[in-house]
mmCIF file of all heavy atoms in Angstrom:
data_model
loop_
_atom_site.group_PDB
_atom_site.id
_atom_site.type_symbol
_atom_site.label_atom_id
_atom_site.label_comp_id
_atom_site.label_asym_id
_atom_site.label_seq_id
_atom_site.Cartn_x
_atom_site.Cartn_y
_atom_site.Cartn_z
ATOM 1 N N ARG B 31 61.153 185.753 90.691
ATOM 2 C CA ARG B 31 59.759 186.151 90.869
ATOM 3 C C ARG B 31 59.669 187.539 91.514
ATOM 4 O O ARG B 31 58.889 188.388 91.092
ATOM 5 C CB ARG B 31 59.030 185.104 91.731
ATOM 6 C CG ARG B 31 57.602 185.455 92.080
ATOM 7 C CD ARG B 31 56.867 184.282 92.712
ATOM 8 N NE ARG B 31 55.857 184.716 93.661
ATOM 9 C CZ ARG B 31 56.085 184.976 94.936
ATOM 10 N NH1 ARG B 31 57.307 184.842 95.437
ATOM 11 N NH2 ARG B 31 55.116 185.377 95.716
ATOM 12 N N GLN B 35 58.192 190.982 89.946
ATOM 13 C CA GLN B 35 57.174 191.754 90.673
ATOM 14 C C GLN B 35 57.563 193.223 90.755
ATOM 15 O O GLN B 35 56.743 194.112 90.529
ATOM 16 C CB GLN B 35 57.014 191.218 92.100
ATOM 17 C CG GLN B 35 56.137 189.997 92.242
ATOM 18 C CD GLN B 35 56.073 189.524 93.696
ATOM 19 O OE1 GLN B 35 56.756 190.049 94.561
ATOM 20 N NE2 GLN B 35 55.254 188.516 93.942
ATOM 21 N N GLN B 67 47.074 186.162 65.293
ATOM 22 C CA GLN B 67 47.056 186.208 66.753
ATOM 23 C C GLN B 67 48.064 185.227 67.342
ATOM 24 O O GLN B 67 48.818 185.564 68.255
ATOM 25 C CB GLN B 67 45.635 185.878 67.232
ATOM 26 C CG GLN B 67 45.379 186.168 68.682
ATOM 27 C CD GLN B 67 43.933 185.903 69.050
ATOM 28 O OE1 GLN B 67 43.118 186.804 69.123
ATOM 29 N NE2 GLN B 67 43.611 184.657 69.278
ATOM 30 N N ASN B 68 48.089 184.018 66.826
ATOM 31 C CA ASN B 68 49.032 183.013 67.322
ATOM 32 C C ASN B 68 50.482 183.419 67.100
ATOM 33 O O ASN B 68 51.331 183.246 67.975
ATOM 34 C CB ASN B 68 48.775 181.670 66.627
ATOM 35 C CG ASN B 68 47.999 180.726 67.520
ATOM 36 O OD1 ASN B 68 47.358 181.158 68.477
ATOM 37 N ND2 ASN B 68 48.050 179.447 67.203
ATOM 38 N N ALA B 78 48.439 180.564 73.318
ATOM 39 C CA ALA B 78 47.270 180.985 72.547
ATOM 40 C C ALA B 78 46.146 181.506 73.435
ATOM 41 O O ALA B 78 45.497 182.511 73.108
ATOM 42 C CB ALA B 78 46.774 179.810 71.701
ATOM 43 N N ALA B 79 45.926 180.823 74.555
ATOM 44 C CA ALA B 79 44.830 181.235 75.434
ATOM 45 C C ALA B 79 45.098 182.603 76.048
ATOM 46 O O ALA B 79 44.188 183.430 76.168
ATOM 47 C CB ALA B 79 44.624 180.188 76.525
ATOM 48 N N LYS B 82 44.905 185.542 73.454
ATOM 49 C CA LYS B 82 43.529 185.849 73.065
ATOM 50 C C LYS B 82 42.915 186.876 74.019
ATOM 51 O O LYS B 82 42.292 187.846 73.592
ATOM 52 C CB LYS B 82 42.668 184.591 73.076
ATOM 53 C CG LYS B 82 41.277 184.876 72.536
ATOM 54 C CD LYS B 82 40.268 183.824 72.796
ATOM 55 C CE LYS B 82 38.957 184.139 72.100
ATOM 56 N NZ LYS B 82 38.539 185.546 72.162
ATOM 57 N N ARG B 104 41.806 179.865 58.895
ATOM 58 C CA ARG B 104 41.964 179.626 60.333
ATOM 59 C C ARG B 104 42.472 180.866 61.047
ATOM 60 O O ARG B 104 42.228 181.085 62.219
ATOM 61 C CB ARG B 104 42.982 178.498 60.567
ATOM 62 C CG ARG B 104 42.573 177.153 60.037
ATOM 63 C CD ARG B 104 43.730 176.193 60.104
ATOM 64 N NE ARG B 104 44.897 176.719 59.375
ATOM 65 C CZ ARG B 104 46.051 176.120 59.286
ATOM 66 N NH1 ARG B 104 46.255 174.964 59.899
ATOM 67 N NH2 ARG B 104 47.046 176.650 58.600
ATOM 68 N N ARG B 105 43.214 181.705 60.305
ATOM 69 C CA ARG B 105 43.961 182.784 60.958
ATOM 70 C C ARG B 105 43.135 184.031 61.227
ATOM 71 O O ARG B 105 42.311 184.457 60.413
ATOM 72 C CB ARG B 105 45.164 183.169 60.091
ATOM 73 C CG ARG B 105 46.158 182.052 59.962
ATOM 74 C CD ARG B 105 47.441 182.532 59.335
ATOM 75 N NE ARG B 105 48.252 181.375 58.925
ATOM 76 C CZ ARG B 105 49.395 181.485 58.266
ATOM 77 N NH1 ARG B 105 49.868 182.669 57.937
ATOM 78 N NH2 ARG B 105 50.059 180.400 57.944
ATOM 79 N N LEU B 106 43.412 184.602 62.404
ATOM 80 C CA LEU B 106 42.803 185.863 62.802
ATOM 81 C C LEU B 106 43.896 186.925 62.785
ATOM 82 O O LEU B 106 44.828 186.893 63.594
ATOM 83 C CB LEU B 106 42.209 185.725 64.208
ATOM 84 C CG LEU B 106 41.458 186.930 64.754
ATOM 85 C CD1 LEU B 106 40.212 187.205 63.931
ATOM 86 C CD2 LEU B 106 41.102 186.702 66.220
ATOM 87 P P DT C 6 52.287 165.479 63.703
ATOM 88 O OP1 DT C 6 53.763 165.478 63.730
ATOM 89 O OP2 DT C 6 51.509 165.096 64.898
ATOM 90 O "O5'" DT C 6 51.811 166.934 63.240
ATOM 91 C "C5'" DT C 6 52.135 167.365 61.917
ATOM 92 C "C4'" DT C 6 51.553 168.740 61.671
ATOM 93 O "O4'" DT C 6 50.134 168.640 61.415
ATOM 94 C "C3'" DT C 6 51.709 169.723 62.826
ATOM 95 O "O3'" DT C 6 52.368 170.880 62.327
ATOM 96 C "C2'" DT C 6 50.286 170.005 63.288
ATOM 97 C "C1'" DT C 6 49.492 169.741 62.009
ATOM 98 N N1 DT C 6 48.063 169.346 62.200
ATOM 99 C C2 DT C 6 47.073 170.067 61.546
ATOM 100 O O2 DT C 6 47.312 171.030 60.829
ATOM 101 N N3 DT C 6 45.794 169.628 61.766
ATOM 102 C C4 DT C 6 45.409 168.551 62.548
ATOM 103 O O4 DT C 6 44.219 168.251 62.659
ATOM 104 C C5 DT C 6 46.480 167.847 63.207
ATOM 105 C C7 DT C 6 46.161 166.681 64.090
ATOM 106 C C6 DT C 6 47.750 168.270 63.000
ATOM 107 P P DT C 7 52.836 172.098 63.260
ATOM 108 O OP1 DT C 7 54.085 172.664 62.704
ATOM 109 O OP2 DT C 7 52.751 171.666 64.665
ATOM 110 O "O5'" DT C 7 51.668 173.151 63.006
ATOM 111 C "C5'" DT C 7 51.381 173.549 61.675
ATOM 112 C "C4'" DT C 7 50.164 174.458 61.666
ATOM 113 O "O4'" DT C 7 48.969 173.685 61.918
ATOM 114 C "C3'" DT C 7 50.182 175.564 62.738
ATOM 115 O "O3'" DT C 7 49.914 176.793 62.084
ATOM 116 C "C2'" DT C 7 49.080 175.149 63.713
ATOM 117 C "C1'" DT C 7 48.130 174.418 62.788
ATOM 118 N N1 DT C 7 47.199 173.432 63.403
ATOM 119 C C2 DT C 7 45.856 173.495 63.095
ATOM 120 O O2 DT C 7 45.393 174.343 62.349
ATOM 121 N N3 DT C 7 45.078 172.531 63.693
ATOM 122 C C4 DT C 7 45.494 171.525 64.544
ATOM 123 O O4 DT C 7 44.696 170.721 64.998
ATOM 124 C C5 DT C 7 46.913 171.514 64.823
ATOM 125 C C7 DT C 7 47.469 170.473 65.737
ATOM 126 C C6 DT C 7 47.687 172.457 64.251
ATOM 127 P P DC C 8 50.083 178.211 62.797
ATOM 128 O OP1 DC C 8 50.541 179.170 61.776
ATOM 129 O OP2 DC C 8 50.829 178.011 64.041
ATOM 130 O "O5'" DC C 8 48.576 178.587 63.180
ATOM 131 C "C5'" DC C 8 47.663 178.936 62.148
ATOM 132 C "C4'" DC C 8 46.300 179.189 62.753
ATOM 133 O "O4'" DC C 8 45.779 177.937 63.242
ATOM 134 C "C3'" DC C 8 46.308 180.146 63.942
ATOM 135 O "O3'" DC C 8 45.506 181.273 63.618
ATOM 136 C "C2'" DC C 8 45.746 179.326 65.108
ATOM 137 C "C1'" DC C 8 45.032 178.173 64.408
ATOM 138 N N1 DC C 8 44.994 176.888 65.155
ATOM 139 C C2 DC C 8 43.782 176.203 65.286
ATOM 140 O O2 DC C 8 42.758 176.680 64.797
ATOM 141 N N3 DC C 8 43.772 175.025 65.957
ATOM 142 C C4 DC C 8 44.892 174.533 66.474
ATOM 143 N N4 DC C 8 44.829 173.355 67.118
ATOM 144 C C5 DC C 8 46.139 175.210 66.352
ATOM 145 C C6 DC C 8 46.150 176.372 65.685
ATOM 146 P P DA C 9 45.410 182.530 64.601
ATOM 147 O OP1 DA C 9 45.028 183.720 63.824
ATOM 148 O OP2 DA C 9 46.617 182.555 65.441
ATOM 149 O "O5'" DA C 9 44.173 182.113 65.502
ATOM 150 C "C5'" DA C 9 42.904 181.922 64.867
ATOM 151 C "C4'" DA C 9 41.931 181.293 65.826
ATOM 152 O "O4'" DA C 9 42.389 179.975 66.188
ATOM 153 C "C3'" DA C 9 41.712 182.025 67.143
ATOM 154 O "O3'" DA C 9 40.434 182.641 67.095
ATOM 155 C "C2'" DA C 9 41.819 180.939 68.222
ATOM 156 C "C1'" DA C 9 41.786 179.643 67.414
ATOM 157 N N9 DA C 9 42.549 178.538 67.989
ATOM 158 C C8 DA C 9 43.899 178.450 68.172
ATOM 159 N N7 DA C 9 44.289 177.312 68.704
ATOM 160 C C5 DA C 9 43.116 176.606 68.883
ATOM 161 C C6 DA C 9 42.839 175.328 69.404
ATOM 162 N N6 DA C 9 43.790 174.502 69.864
ATOM 163 N N1 DA C 9 41.550 174.925 69.428
ATOM 164 C C2 DA C 9 40.598 175.764 68.960
ATOM 165 N N3 DA C 9 40.738 176.984 68.450
ATOM 166 C C4 DA C 9 42.031 177.348 68.441
ATOM 167 P P DT C 10 39.902 183.466 68.351
ATOM 168 O OP1 DT C 10 38.883 184.394 67.816
ATOM 169 O OP2 DT C 10 41.052 183.972 69.126
ATOM 170 O "O5'" DT C 10 39.156 182.370 69.228
ATOM 171 C "C5'" DT C 10 38.165 181.562 68.611
ATOM 172 C "C4'" DT C 10 37.614 180.541 69.586
ATOM 173 O "O4'" DT C 10 38.629 179.530 69.843
ATOM 174 C "C3'" DT C 10 37.208 181.099 70.956
ATOM 175 O "O3'" DT C 10 35.827 180.824 71.120
ATOM 176 C "C2'" DT C 10 38.088 180.336 71.956
ATOM 177 C "C1'" DT C 10 38.485 179.097 71.169
ATOM 178 N N1 DT C 10 39.771 178.462 71.538
ATOM 179 C C2 DT C 10 39.777 177.171 72.007
ATOM 180 O O2 DT C 10 38.751 176.520 72.155
ATOM 181 N N3 DT C 10 41.022 176.666 72.303
ATOM 182 C C4 DT C 10 42.244 177.310 72.167
ATOM 183 O O4 DT C 10 43.297 176.757 72.457
ATOM 184 C C5 DT C 10 42.168 178.667 71.677
ATOM 185 C C7 DT C 10 43.433 179.462 71.485
ATOM 186 C C6 DT C 10 40.950 179.167 71.388
ATOM 187 P P DT C 11 35.038 181.447 72.352
ATOM 188 O OP1 DT C 11 33.643 181.582 71.923
ATOM 189 O OP2 DT C 11 35.792 182.611 72.870
ATOM 190 O "O5'" DT C 11 35.114 180.285 73.454
ATOM 191 C "C5'" DT C 11 34.618 178.991 73.134
ATOM 192 C "C4'" DT C 11 34.919 178.030 74.265
ATOM 193 O "O4'" DT C 11 36.320 177.667 74.237
ATOM 194 C "C3'" DT C 11 34.638 178.566 75.677
ATOM 195 O "O3'" DT C 11 33.740 177.665 76.321
ATOM 196 C "C2'" DT C 11 36.010 178.592 76.348
ATOM 197 C "C1'" DT C 11 36.772 177.534 75.567
ATOM 198 N N1 DT C 11 38.256 177.684 75.523
ATOM 199 C C2 DT C 11 39.048 176.588 75.804
ATOM 200 O O2 DT C 11 38.587 175.509 76.097
ATOM 201 N N3 DT C 11 40.395 176.822 75.725
ATOM 202 C C4 DT C 11 41.021 178.008 75.396
ATOM 203 O O4 DT C 11 42.242 178.079 75.352
ATOM 204 C C5 DT C 11 40.139 179.110 75.108
ATOM 205 C C7 DT C 11 40.728 180.439 74.750
ATOM 206 C C6 DT C 11 38.820 178.894 75.187
ATOM 207 P P DC C 12 33.069 178.080 77.709
ATOM 208 O OP1 DC C 12 31.666 177.625 77.639
ATOM 209 O OP2 DC C 12 33.388 179.497 78.038
ATOM 210 O "O5'" DC C 12 33.847 177.139 78.734
ATOM 211 C "C5'" DC C 12 34.010 175.766 78.419
ATOM 212 C "C4'" DC C 12 34.936 175.117 79.436
ATOM 213 O "O4'" DC C 12 36.311 175.353 79.061
ATOM 214 C "C3'" DC C 12 34.779 175.626 80.872
ATOM 215 O "O3'" DC C 12 34.605 174.519 81.736
ATOM 216 C "C2'" DC C 12 36.084 176.378 81.146
ATOM 217 C "C1'" DC C 12 37.063 175.675 80.210
ATOM 218 N N1 DC C 12 38.212 176.525 79.775
ATOM 219 C C2 DC C 12 39.508 175.980 79.784
ATOM 220 O O2 DC C 12 39.662 174.816 80.160
ATOM 221 N N3 DC C 12 40.541 176.751 79.379
ATOM 222 C C4 DC C 12 40.327 178.007 78.978
ATOM 223 N N4 DC C 12 41.383 178.716 78.574
ATOM 224 C C5 DC C 12 39.011 178.576 78.953
ATOM 225 C C6 DC C 12 37.998 177.809 79.364
ATOM 226 P P DT C 16 48.603 179.007 93.446
ATOM 227 O OP1 DT C 16 50.052 178.975 93.446
ATOM 228 O OP2 DT C 16 47.827 178.374 94.510
ATOM 229 O "O5'" DT C 16 48.114 180.506 93.343
ATOM 230 C "C5'" DT C 16 49.028 181.552 93.580
ATOM 231 C "C4'" DT C 16 49.723 181.971 92.293
ATOM 232 O "O4'" DT C 16 48.782 182.004 91.198
ATOM 233 C "C3'" DT C 16 50.299 183.371 92.393
ATOM 234 O "O3'" DT C 16 51.492 183.436 91.619
ATOM 235 C "C2'" DT C 16 49.184 184.239 91.840
ATOM 236 C "C1'" DT C 16 48.601 183.350 90.751
ATOM 237 N N1 DT C 16 47.159 183.597 90.518
ATOM 238 C C2 DT C 16 46.784 184.502 89.572
ATOM 239 O O2 DT C 16 47.593 185.113 88.891
ATOM 240 N N3 DT C 16 45.430 184.668 89.413
ATOM 241 C C4 DT C 16 44.427 184.017 90.099
ATOM 242 O O4 DT C 16 43.239 184.244 89.859
ATOM 243 C C5 DT C 16 44.883 183.074 91.105
ATOM 244 C C7 DT C 16 43.877 182.300 91.916
ATOM 245 C C6 DT C 16 46.197 182.906 91.270
ATOM 246 P P DG C 17 52.585 184.597 92.068
ATOM 247 O OP1 DG C 17 53.651 184.609 91.068
ATOM 248 O OP2 DG C 17 52.892 184.376 93.488
ATOM 249 O "O5'" DG C 17 51.750 185.962 91.976
ATOM 250 C "C5'" DG C 17 51.819 186.755 90.823
ATOM 251 C "C4'" DG C 17 50.921 187.968 90.960
ATOM 252 O "O4'" DG C 17 49.538 187.585 90.777
ATOM 253 C "C3'" DG C 17 50.960 188.673 92.325
ATOM 254 O "O3'" DG C 17 51.623 189.907 92.134
ATOM 255 C "C2'" DG C 17 49.495 188.844 92.712
ATOM 256 C "C1'" DG C 17 48.762 188.561 91.408
ATOM 257 N N9 DG C 17 47.403 188.028 91.519
ATOM 258 C C8 DG C 17 47.002 186.928 92.240
ATOM 259 N N7 DG C 17 45.719 186.687 92.134
ATOM 260 C C5 DG C 17 45.250 187.679 91.301
ATOM 261 C C6 DG C 17 43.938 187.939 90.827
ATOM 262 O O6 DG C 17 42.907 187.309 91.059
ATOM 263 N N1 DG C 17 43.904 189.062 89.991
ATOM 264 C C2 DG C 17 44.993 189.838 89.663
ATOM 265 N N2 DG C 17 44.770 190.863 88.860
ATOM 266 N N3 DG C 17 46.217 189.598 90.094
ATOM 267 C C4 DG C 17 46.274 188.520 90.906
ATOM 268 P P DC C 18 51.950 190.904 93.343
ATOM 269 O OP1 DC C 18 53.192 191.613 93.002
ATOM 270 O OP2 DC C 18 51.814 190.180 94.604
ATOM 271 O "O5'" DC C 18 50.764 191.972 93.254
ATOM 272 C "C5'" DC C 18 50.608 192.729 92.068
ATOM 273 C "C4'" DC C 18 49.279 193.438 92.099
ATOM 274 O "O4'" DC C 18 48.206 192.487 91.990
ATOM 275 C "C3'" DC C 18 49.008 194.225 93.385
ATOM 276 O "O3'" DC C 18 48.569 195.512 93.032
ATOM 277 C "C2'" DC C 18 47.895 193.442 94.061
ATOM 278 C "C1'" DC C 18 47.167 192.911 92.837
ATOM 279 N N1 DC C 18 46.257 191.785 93.134
ATOM 280 C C2 DC C 18 44.944 191.819 92.624
ATOM 281 O O2 DC C 18 44.599 192.779 91.942
ATOM 282 N N3 DC C 18 44.098 190.810 92.906
ATOM 283 C C4 DC C 18 44.517 189.789 93.650
ATOM 284 N N4 DC C 18 43.650 188.810 93.903
ATOM 285 C C5 DC C 18 45.848 189.727 94.178
ATOM 286 C C6 DC C 18 46.683 190.740 93.896
#
Side-chain angles (χ1 to χ4, degrees):
Chain B
R31 175 170 149 274
Q35 279 179 355
Q67 192 176 261
N68 259 19
K82 186 194 186 319
R104 296 170 304 178
R105 296 191 194 175
L106 183 65

